[in-house]
Amino acid sequence: MENSKRTVTCGELTKADVGKKVVLNGWVSRTRDLGGLIFIRLRDRYGITQVMVGDNASDEVKKIAASLKSEYCIAVEGVVAARAEKDVNKDMATGEIEVEACDIEIFTTSQELPFSIEEVRQKDGTLVVANEDLRLKYRYLDLRREPMQHNIILRSAVTFATREFLTSKGFLEIETPTFIKSTPEGARDYLVPSRVHPGKFYSLPQSPQLYKQLLMVSGFDKYFQIARCYRDEDARGDRQPEFTQIDMEMSFTNREEVLDTTEELMRHIFKKTLNYELPVHFDRISWDDAFDLYGSDKPDLRFDMKMQDAAFMADLSDFNAFKAGAANADKNIERHKRSGLKALVVKNAADKYSRKHIEALEAVAKINHAKGLAWMKVDAEGKFEGGISKFFAGKEAEICSRLGAEKNDLLLFVSDEKWQTACVALGAVRKQLGKDLNLYNPKDEFHFAWIIDFPYFAWNEEENHWETEHHMFTLPQKKYWDTLESDPGSVKGDLYDLVLNGYELASGSMRINDPALQERIFEIVGYSRERAEKAFGFLVQAFKFGAPPHGGIAPGLDRLIMLMCHEESIHEVIAFPKNNLAMSPMDECPSAVDQSQLDDLHLKCTEVEK
Amino acid sequence: MENSKRTVTCGELTKADVGKKVVLNGWVSRTRDLGGLIFIRLRDRYGITQVMVGDNASDEVKKIAASLKSEYCIAVEGVVAARAEKDVNKDMATGEIEVEACDIEIFTTSQELPFSIEEVRQKDGTLVVANEDLRLKYRYLDLRREPMQHNIILRSAVTFATREFLTSKGFLEIETPTFIKSTPEGARDYLVPSRVHPGKFYSLPQSPQLYKQLLMVSGFDKYFQIARCYRDEDARGDRQPEFTQIDMEMSFTNREEVLDTTEELMRHIFKKTLNYELPVHFDRISWDDAFDLYGSDKPDLRFDMKMQDAAFMADLSDFNAFKAGAANADKNIERHKRSGLKALVVKNAADKYSRKHIEALEAVAKINHAKGLAWMKVDAEGKFEGGISKFFAGKEAEICSRLGAEKNDLLLFVSDEKWQTACVALGAVRKQLGKDLNLYNPKDEFHFAWIIDFPYFAWNEEENHWETEHHMFTLPQKKYWDTLESDPGSVKGDLYDLVLNGYELASGSMRINDPALQERIFEIVGYSRERAEKAFGFLVQAFKFGAPPHGGIAPGLDRLIMLMCHEESIHEVIAFPKNNLAMSPMDECPSAVDQSQLDDLHLKCTEVEK
């Protein structure tokens, strides 16, 4: 072929192009040989075009066409032709046309594939997908599959929409260093040994937190960065050694402005990339209410089934298990003024839940540290049946009225000395019910909410001291400033989490900018001046030169894209992820290195994996 | 103050706002107390506004105003007033107004500063800048200085303009991993020890090269990423352990398209951020010509003084030093068919260069491995004088005519057995002359050019074998495919460098996509199949599944911004750079870590810095 460079992509030809001479480049998705006529599905990032090799083609070209196999990379020169009415494919953007080839050039051939690039379904319609390690080993092929193309392309669109919006609002994207000082606080750091400074190490950032706060001290006033972060955690679920966050920080601001800006950012992203309209403002739920109503600080609000306080029931019978939950008075109850006896009314579900199904729910409660899951059903006559019903015979009217229960409802209870334990356990049951019964509101595909008013301090029972729930630069809400030392347990922080469909998407706070207030916090949590100095000395120092009021937030990009793509793992939205052992089956990293590399770094391995 | 959140910035008020009540937030740049009247220069990222504390202010507010010191972070509430005609400051965007304060709130105070944030000049006009380690220690204050604010803000604008342009052209921004496999090729890798896999290491990428090529195999067809890269090199000049490049790769493309796209990108960036018009196409100079004419593969073309071949002069006298340069026939000469006797005619400079000045030029030539710098001047009568003139007495007419020399020109020569050595040495002299004589064309602030047609292989004299000049995935130009093995020295690569004002800004190439061609390259450079497999196995493997024709380029972002800001060091355009010892004086990284961290990583230090 004289010039094999494409003139059009495989996704753009329509009836309007009939008669045009074109060159297409792409991969052979499939060929069909109908004796004399050969059809080629040619694929690129933009779509699929049907190529027909027939009368226009020389014998030479027909021979090439007959030799094509899946995933050969080729160029086709041909003329756009309308398909016959009966052959039009309405499901395909280019389904009205085909290209009659006059020439074909094979750029490169392909070996047999380890798995199919095209969608393969079992007889029952289930999608056949290769196991993950095989997919990751041949990730470059896995990425050719349509769902992966979709996810990666959406990710690119989301990051651009993010930058477009934030730039239009006057935010500056500023790169912070990824070689920073290791601090022994928080999660485990990844370290990078220094060759020039023997025995010394750089650390990779768990987030740009300290540096973005320094940028506020520098006066950059609206900062963002789509930042790579690192956390050396044990492999669990969906964690990756490296992950990406949309890191933001603002000066001369307040909580309302940070929340508004984040809501507007999300609206822009969803509108621009999914054409999905989010509400102007997201729900706001206090941390107390989030646990009390949904048993989680990241509740799934796509369905509205709230937990209720059932303390009143303890007095209605001599069922002992309920007494403790209703009556206890631990530090947390005092703090939250709520009981540890929680109820869920599952509407119209009594006949759907057998004893066996309820046992499965109880297992969920127990995994979440409940002692058990009590239950009873409201039968067709309005009587209680099953489970703990015998303890409450005759009290149906009062209980149903106060809990809003009706015939055929299933009632579930967790009672625990600790309010939070009861909430979390029953909240997990609530989440399971949402899945089991598919309670999700189909009009509420993406349900955002803010969790606010977090407790600032938490009592560490083992070590017998207060510690901060979030990091130590978080601003306590102003109304508690006088009682920080005298009543730490009541202090709320100027903290906010953004949750989406049951996932924590972002965490943020207003920060302390007053060195004196910062020292009070260090003292309350028992941080010596030396320890604070060693860990955060340069930030504390910076705040002595006129630090502005500031605050920020950092939505996790991987998780956002995962939810936007309706995927269940962030692996599906990262081009080259590690597996759950923090390994890449493709390039086999991490790997052993040459002894000379270790010598250069003044290091010796004390143990070596076989 | 009831609400101290700013309503306007310090850069936006004009005469049109007179009478408005406003709140400003910012830093006290300077105060002047004129007995009763206090003037405050209030600064934020957007500009400076003059605040006047006078009759509108209560005694309380006046007292606060009198207490203000440099870099206090404050809020001011007041009314915009027009300045008297005589007080208007035309150099200041807000110079027509001042704000008459009615209230002031001090957010935070400031200690005494280690250096001034405002510009300080010596009596002779020279700018006083603190030494670099002090600036880096207090980088958050250094970044408050106007030049640093300008550079970082421009950098943000350039990265956004880059993304805006590339996205509009259909490029996808795709994040590649920064935990990759260490390969013993190229520069030294930074390593990250694995905790989970004892004795194994991740490596930080020197560039996303392999991964962007895999993305082409995956069919993403137009990729870019503003990517952090890492190279553990010895501290030298301007190197940083981490740096940023605008990484690009395209499929189904050719050199012309990559060059056009890059030119268009640069035009967009310069137009959008500096309002500077670059030409539609940049000069193209072959690698041979770049050395021959300018003695460098990154020539500074802001002035047009070309070196000339002076081989003819060897026959005009018995000056021995010229014979070798003219007559030699080393491997390089054969290859380039050019002599090692090079001349520069410096127009009208004879009277500007004393013997002492010429000695300084000779030192430059010698540092660049010349044996010496021969010279003579053309005097007012057209005779040669000084230097080597006695050897060429009587030949003035011929020499001046062939070299284009005239009265008062200075002639400089380097003669060397090796063409390239002569070129490089005299090229360095050329560069020095450009600076000494300020030869730069003021209309040519940013002079881009392409260097093309690089030699593909270089002969390694020490190890006695061929190696590739660039990396091994570079495509040899097609016309040499039949003679790769028989005549490696003549092969040109499909390589291109983008140079700007004497700096290499970007390097790129078309890549090999044919596994058979790739194996031939490995063989020519003596790479065993095992070694290639170990280092690049997964890429070689990927290419067996239909790799598209592809190529790319990667402009260095730090250097681009440095040149756009007319800075001499990339330290000036990075928010938090390391110093020349790869250290950060601010957070003191790299630093020692806890023994437990090393234990976790199964490592022991064999040597420790004191």
Side-chain angles (χ1 to χ4, degrees):
Chain A
M1 200 176 302
E2 197 160 315
N3 191 344
S4 54
K5 188 172 179 317
R6 68 181 170 199
T7 58
V8 292
T9 71
C10 294
E12 68 181 87
L13 293 174
T14 66
K15 237 175 178 169
D17 300 299
V18 167
K20 277 190 195 158
K21 189 147 190 170
V22 297
V23 178
L24 293 164
N25 295 169
W27 284 267
V28 174
S29 180
R30 211 163 53 200
T31 61
R32 269 182 309 149
D33 193 334
L34 302 183
L37 275 188
I38 297 175
F39 291 94
I40 306 164
R41 272 167 70 87
L42 192 67
R43 190 194 70 240
D44 66 12
R45 167 185 145 196
Y46 309 90
I48 288 178
T49 296
Q50 177 161 288
V51 173
M52 197 264 279
V53 186
D55 296 341
N56 273 349
S58 66
D59 287 350
E60 174 67 17
V61 170
K62 283 179 185 161
K63 218 172 118 186
I64 295 175
S67 78
L68 295 178
K69 296 213 176 77
S70 281
E71 301 306 314
Y72 277 30
C73 186
I74 67 171
V76 173
E77 190 173 0
V79 175
V80 184
R83 295 197 196 182
E85 198 63 50
K86 68 176 176 49
D87 295 329
V88 166
N89 182 343
K90 293 236 159 83
D91 296 336
M92 214 169 143
T94 62
E96 293 181 321
I97 59 93
E98 60 190 9
V99 170
E100 293 187 15
C102 55
D103 203 355
I104 297 179
E105 179 181 331
I106 298 176
F107 289 133
T108 46
T109 62
S110 174
Q111 287 185 343
E112 202 155 325
L113 300 168
F115 47 76
S116 169
I117 307 300
E118 291 217 349
E119 196 175 84
V120 180
R121 288 184 184 276
Q122 283 179 318
K123 274 182 193 154
D124 67 0
T126 339
L127 204 60
V128 178
V129 182
N131 81 55
E132 186 170 57
D133 266 9
L134 193 65
R135 288 177 59 204
L136 291 183
K137 177 164 182 189
Y138 297 97
R139 186 61 158 185
Y140 41 87
L141 295 178
D142 190 42
L143 288 171
R144 283 187 193 168
R145 298 190 310 113
E146 197 283 323
M148 292 307 296
Q149 292 262 321
H150 166 270
N151 294 356
I152 299 296
I153 290 171
L154 182 73
R155 183 176 179 123
S156 174
V158 168
T159 54
F160 186 69
T162 300
R163 291 180 158 113
E164 187 179 51
F165 172 80
L166 291 174
T167 300
S168 79
K169 294 285 171 186
F171 282 77
L172 301 169
E173 184 159 24
I174 304 179
E175 293 176 76
T176 53
T178 61
F179 278 14
I180 65 169
K181 186 185 182 177
S182 178
T183 62
E185 317 302 320
R188 215 181 272 108
D189 287 330
Y190 277 109
L191 298 181
V192 180
S194 164
R195 176 177 55 84
V196 183
H197 305 282
K200 296 195 168 174
F201 295 79
Y202 304 98
S203 160
L204 298 173
Q206 296 181 29
S207 87
Q209 185 66 32
L210 302 189
Y211 295 87
K212 71 176 173 174
Q213 292 195 243
L214 289 176
L215 289 172
M216 295 303 107
V217 174
S218 297
F220 286 110
D221 123 352
K222 287 180 179 178
Y223 145 95
F224 83 103
Q225 184 182 196
I226 300 189
R228 202 70 64 90
C229 304
Y230 303 85
R231 213 168 283 181
D232 185 5
E233 293 178 308
D234 287 319
R236 169 146 72 86
D238 227 17
R239 287 183 182 161
Q240 287 284 311
E242 50 182 318
F243 57 97
T244 305
Q245 66 190 33
I246 304 171
D247 199 46
M248 294 160 62
E249 194 78 9
M250 301 160 76
S251 292
F252 306 123
T253 191
N254 52 32
R255 186 182 79 176
E256 291 315 300
E257 196 182 23
V258 176
L259 267 47
D260 285 352
T261 304
T262 309
E263 287 170 349
E264 215 183 323
L265 168 63
M266 289 299 151
R267 280 208 306 283
H268 179 83
I269 290 173
F270 276 72
K271 179 68 189 165
K272 195 78 191 273
T273 64
L274 295 180
N275 198 25
Y276 184 90
E277 297 278 357
L278 290 174
V280 174
H281 288 297
F282 303 160
D283 298 341
R284 293 184 186 192
I285 305 171
S286 74
W287 184 89
D288 286 354
D289 282 349
F291 274 103
D292 208 50
L293 300 175
Y294 308 104
S296 169
D297 56 3
K298 37 180 192 278
D300 192 339
L301 300 165
R302 286 174 300 171
F303 63 101
D304 183 37
M305 180 168 55
K306 295 186 178 74
M307 303 191 302
Q308 303 184 50
D309 190 304
F312 71 94
M313 287 176 69
D315 300 329
L316 296 181
S317 86
D318 52 1
F319 182 51
N320 265 330
F322 276 18
K323 302 280 184 195
N328 79 82
D330 81 346
K331 215 157 190 144
N332 281 311
I333 292 294
E334 224 180 299
R335 189 162 143 190
H336 302 297
K337 315 260 187 309
R338 317 203 188 201
S339 92
L341 175 46
K342 305 296 302 180
L344 258 186
V345 177
V346 193
K347 304 306 291 177
N348 211 25
D351 57 351
K352 291 182 192 131
Y353 272 84
S354 68
R355 186 175 299 260
K356 205 172 138 192
H357 285 133
I358 293 173
E359 274 166 16
L361 293 178
E362 181 164 35
V364 170
K366 284 182 164 174
I367 287 171
N368 287 278
H369 311 296
K371 294 186 188 71
L373 180 71
W375 63 275
M376 54 193 183
K377 294 176 175 177
V378 188
D379 73 9
E381 276 77 49
K383 298 283 169 219
F384 291 144
E385 65 165 25
I388 58 171
S389 54
K390 64 173 176 189
F391 294 102
F392 297 97
K395 309 288 184 184
E396 282 87 351
E398 180 175 359
I399 293 173
C400 284
S401 145
R402 289 188 68 165
L403 292 180
E406 295 165 311
K407 289 170 191 173
N408 200 32
D409 287 355
L410 170 65
L411 309 188
L412 301 170
F413 305 90
V414 170
S415 175
D416 198 278
E417 281 166 23
K418 297 205 172 169
W419 164 80
Q420 204 173 339
T421 305
C423 292
V424 168
L426 196 59
V429 171
R430 175 188 175 273
K431 206 170 160 185
Q432 187 63 45
L433 288 162
K435 273 189 212 161
D436 287 358
L437 299 168
N438 192 17
L439 300 174
Y440 309 116
N441 177 354
K443 287 193 183 149
D444 200 14
E445 191 179 347
F446 299 104
H447 197 119
F448 279 95
W450 290 107
I451 311 299
I452 55 174
D453 298 335
F454 282 62
Y456 192 92
F457 295 102
W459 182 250
N460 184 325
E461 292 195 3
E462 283 164 38
E463 298 178 19
N464 222 31
H465 66 81
W466 291 100
E467 55 193 20
T468 55
E469 286 259 13
H470 202 58
H471 59 60
M472 284 181 285
F473 312 116
T474 298
L475 192 67
Q477 292 183 9
K478 199 165 184 175
K479 59 184 166 207
Y480 301 98
W481 286 7
D482 290 337
T483 54
L484 291 181
E485 288 83 359
S486 58
D487 185 12
S490 304
V491 178
K492 303 284 185 191
D494 229 340
L495 271 161
Y496 30 84
D497 271 10
L498 182 62
V499 301
L500 170 58
N501 294 359
Y503 286 87
E504 180 197 313
L505 195 65
S507 198
S509 67
M510 300 306 295
R511 327 292 185 188
I512 295 172
N513 68 324
D514 171 10
L517 183 58
Q518 187 68 67
E519 293 218 354
R520 286 172 64 195
I521 302 296
F522 285 148
E523 246 170 60
I524 295 170
V525 299
Y527 250 62
S528 67
R529 196 167 286 220
E530 291 68 39
R531 186 168 167 202
E533 179 60 37
K534 192 182 163 197
F536 316 112
F538 60 103
L539 187 66
V540 173
Q541 178 68 17
F543 279 13
K544 292 179 180 160
F545 295 99
H550 62 290
I553 191 165
L557 182 67
D558 305 300
R559 197 169 270 174
L560 173 64
I561 310 288
M562 176 188 95
L563 293 169
M564 292 180 79
C565 292
H566 299 290
E567 294 285 0
E568 308 223 317
S569 162
I570 59 171
H571 296 191
E572 304 298 321
V573 299
I574 296 173
F576 299 101
K578 303 291 181 286
N579 68 12
N580 285 336
L581 298 171
M583 255 199 56
S584 163
M586 183 178 74
D587 56 10
E588 290 177 326
C589 88
S591 58
V593 296
D594 290 351
Q595 184 58 41
S596 65
Q597 288 177 276
L598 294 184
D599 293 345
D600 280 351
L601 298 175
H602 328 282
L603 290 177
K604 227 167 95 175
C605 293
T606 56
E607 196 186 322
V608 174
E609 192 180 52
K610 263 155 233 144
Chain B
M1 201 176 301
E2 197 159 315
N3 191 344
S4 55
K5 189 173 180 314
R6 68 181 171 199
T7 57
V8 292
T9 70
C10 296
E12 66 182 88
L13 294 174
T14 64
K15 238 177 178 165
D17 300 299
V18 168
K20 276 190 195 155
K21 191 148 191 170
V22 297
V23 178
L24 294 164
N25 294 169
W27 285 267
V28 174
S29 182
R30 212 166 48 200
T31 60
R32 267 184 310 150
D33 193 334
L34 302 182
L37 276 188
I38 298 174
F39 290 93
I40 306 164
R41 272 166 71 90
L42 192 67
R43 188 194 70 236
D44 68 10
R45 166 186 145 197
Y46 309 90
I48 288 178
T49 296
Q50 176 162 291
V51 173
M52 197 265 279
V53 187
D55 297 341
N56 274 348
S58 65
D59 286 352
E60 175 65 20
V61 170
K62 282 179 186 162
K63 219 173 116 187
I64 296 174
S67 78
L68 296 177
K69 297 211 177 79
S70 280
E71 301 307 315
Y72 277 29
C73 186
I74 67 172
V76 173
E77 190 174 358
V79 176
V80 184
R83 294 197 197 182
E85 197 63 51
K86 68 179 178 42
D87 296 330
V88 166
N89 183 343
K90 293 235 160 81
D91 294 338
M92 215 169 144
T94 62
E96 292 180 322
I97 58 94
E98 60 192 6
V99 170
E100 292 187 13
C102 55
D103 203 356
I104 298 178
E105 180 181 331
I106 298 177
F107 290 132
T108 45
T109 61
S110 174
Q111 288 185 341
E112 202 156 324
L113 301 166
F115 47 75
S116 169
I117 307 301
E118 292 216 350
E119 195 175 85
V120 180
R121 286 184 185 276
Q122 283 179 315
K123 276 184 191 152
D124 67 357
T126 338
L127 203 59
V128 179
V129 182
N131 81 54
E132 185 169 58
D133 266 9
L134 193 65
R135 289 177 58 203
L136 291 183
K137 177 164 182 192
Y138 297 97
R139 187 59 158 188
Y140 41 86
L141 295 178
D142 190 43
L143 287 171
R144 284 189 191 165
R145 297 192 308 111
E146 197 283 324
M148 292 307 296
Q149 291 263 321
H150 167 270
N151 294 356
I152 299 297
I153 291 172
L154 182 75
R155 184 175 178 125
S156 174
V158 168
T159 55
F160 186 70
T162 300
R163 291 180 159 112
E164 185 180 53
F165 173 79
L166 291 173
T167 301
S168 78
K169 293 285 170 185
F171 281 78
L172 302 169
E173 184 160 22
I174 304 178
E175 294 176 75
T176 54
T178 60
F179 278 13
I180 65 169
K181 187 184 182 176
S182 177
T183 61
E185 316 302 321
R188 214 181 273 109
D189 286 330
Y190 276 108
L191 298 182
V192 180
S194 165
R195 178 177 54 86
V196 183
H197 304 283
K200 294 194 169 174
F201 295 79
Y202 304 99
S203 159
L204 298 174
Q206 296 181 28
S207 88
Q209 185 66 31
L210 302 188
Y211 295 86
K212 72 175 175 176
Q213 291 195 243
L214 289 175
L215 288 172
M216 296 303 106
V217 174
S218 296
F220 287 108
D221 115 354
K222 285 179 180 180
Y223 145 95
F224 83 103
Q225 184 183 197
I226 300 189
R228 202 71 64 91
C229 304
Y230 303 85
R231 212 167 284 179
D232 185 7
E233 293 179 307
D234 287 318
R236 172 145 71 84
D238 228 17
R239 285 181 183 163
Q240 287 283 310
E242 48 183 321
F243 57 96
T244 305
Q245 66 189 34
I246 304 171
D247 200 47
M248 297 160 62
E249 195 78 9
M250 302 160 77
S251 291
F252 306 125
T253 190
N254 53 31
R255 186 182 78 177
E256 292 313 302
E257 196 182 21
V258 177
L259 267 47
D260 284 351
T261 304
T262 310
E263 288 170 350
E264 217 183 321
L265 168 63
M266 290 298 152
R267 278 207 308 282
H268 179 81
I269 290 173
F270 277 71
K271 179 69 189 166
K272 197 77 190 274
T273 64
L274 296 181
N275 197 25
Y276 184 92
E277 298 277 359
L278 291 173
V280 175
H281 288 297
F282 303 159
D283 299 341
R284 295 184 187 191
I285 305 170
S286 73
W287 184 90
D288 287 354
D289 281 349
F291 274 103
D292 207 49
L293 301 175
Y294 308 104
S296 170
D297 54 3
K298 36 183 191 280
D300 191 338
L301 300 165
R302 286 175 298 170
F303 64 100
D304 183 39
M305 177 167 61
K306 295 187 179 73
M307 303 191 299
Q308 301 184 53
D309 190 303
F312 72 95
M313 286 176 69
D315 299 330
L316 296 183
S317 86
D318 52 3
F319 182 51
N320 265 330
F322 276 19
K323 303 277 182 195
N328 78 82
D330 81 349
K331 215 162 190 141
N332 282 310
I333 291 296
E334 224 181 295
R335 192 164 142 187
H336 302 294
K337 315 261 184 316
R338 316 203 188 200
S339 92
L341 175 45
K342 305 295 302 182
L344 260 186
V345 177
V346 193
K347 302 306 290 179
N348 209 27
D351 55 354
K352 292 184 191 126
Y353 272 84
S354 67
R355 185 176 300 260
K356 205 173 139 194
H357 285 134
I358 294 173
E359 274 167 17
L361 292 177
E362 182 164 35
V364 170
K366 282 181 165 175
I367 288 172
N368 287 278
H369 311 297
K371 292 185 190 74
L373 180 72
W375 63 276
M376 53 192 183
K377 293 177 176 178
V378 187
D379 72 10
E381 277 77 51
K383 298 283 171 220
F384 290 143
E385 67 166 23
I388 57 168
S389 55
K390 66 176 177 187
F391 295 103
F392 297 98
K395 310 286 182 183
E396 283 88 348
E398 181 175 359
I399 292 173
C400 285
S401 143
R402 290 189 68 166
L403 293 179
E406 295 164 314
K407 285 168 192 171
N408 199 33
D409 288 354
L410 169 66
L411 309 188
L412 300 170
F413 305 90
V414 170
S415 175
D416 199 278
E417 279 167 22
K418 297 202 172 172
W419 164 80
Q420 206 173 338
T421 305
C423 291
V424 167
L426 195 58
V429 171
R430 174 189 175 273
K431 209 171 157 182
Q432 187 62 44
L433 288 164
K435 274 189 212 162
D436 289 356
L437 300 169
N438 192 18
L439 299 174
Y440 309 117
N441 178 353
K443 288 196 184 146
D444 200 13
E445 191 179 347
F446 300 104
H447 197 120
F448 279 96
W450 291 106
I451 311 300
I452 56 173
D453 299 335
F454 281 63
Y456 191 93
F457 295 103
W459 181 251
N460 184 325
E461 290 197 3
E462 283 164 36
E463 299 177 19
N464 225 29
H465 66 81
W466 290 101
E467 55 194 19
T468 54
E469 286 258 14
H470 201 58
H471 60 59
M472 284 181 288
F473 311 116
T474 298
L475 191 67
Q477 291 184 10
K478 200 164 184 176
K479 59 184 167 208
Y480 301 98
W481 286 6
D482 290 339
T483 55
L484 290 181
E485 288 84 359
S486 59
D487 185 12
S490 305
V491 178
K492 302 284 185 190
D494 229 338
L495 270 162
Y496 30 84
D497 272 8
L498 182 61
V499 300
L500 169 59
N501 294 1
Y503 286 86
E504 182 196 312
L505 196 63
S507 197
S509 67
M510 300 305 294
R511 327 293 184 187
I512 295 171
N513 67 327
D514 171 10
L517 182 56
Q518 187 68 66
E519 295 219 354
R520 286 172 65 195
I521 301 296
F522 286 146
E523 244 170 63
I524 295 170
V525 300
Y527 249 59
S528 68
R529 194 166 290 218
E530 292 68 39
R531 184 169 167 199
E533 180 61 37
K534 192 182 164 197
F536 317 111
F538 60 103
L539 186 68
V540 173
Q541 179 67 17
F543 279 12
K544 291 176 180 160
F545 294 99
H550 62 290
I553 190 164
L557 181 66
D558 305 301
R559 199 169 268 176
L560 173 62
I561 310 289
M562 176 188 95
L563 293 170
M564 291 179 80
C565 293
H566 297 291
E567 294 285 1
E568 306 223 319
S569 162
I570 59 172
H571 295 193
E572 306 298 321
V573 300
I574 296 173
F576 299 101
K578 303 288 181 286
N579 68 13
N580 285 338
L581 298 170
M583 257 198 57
S584 162
M586 183 178 74
D587 57 9
E588 289 178 326
C589 90
S591 59
V593 297
D594 290 351
Q595 184 58 40
S596 66
Q597 288 177 279
L598 293 185
D599 292 345
D600 280 352
L601 299 175
H602 327 284
L603 289 179
K604 223 166 97 174
C605 293
T606 57
E607 193 185 326
V608 174
E609 191 181 50
K610 265 157 233 142

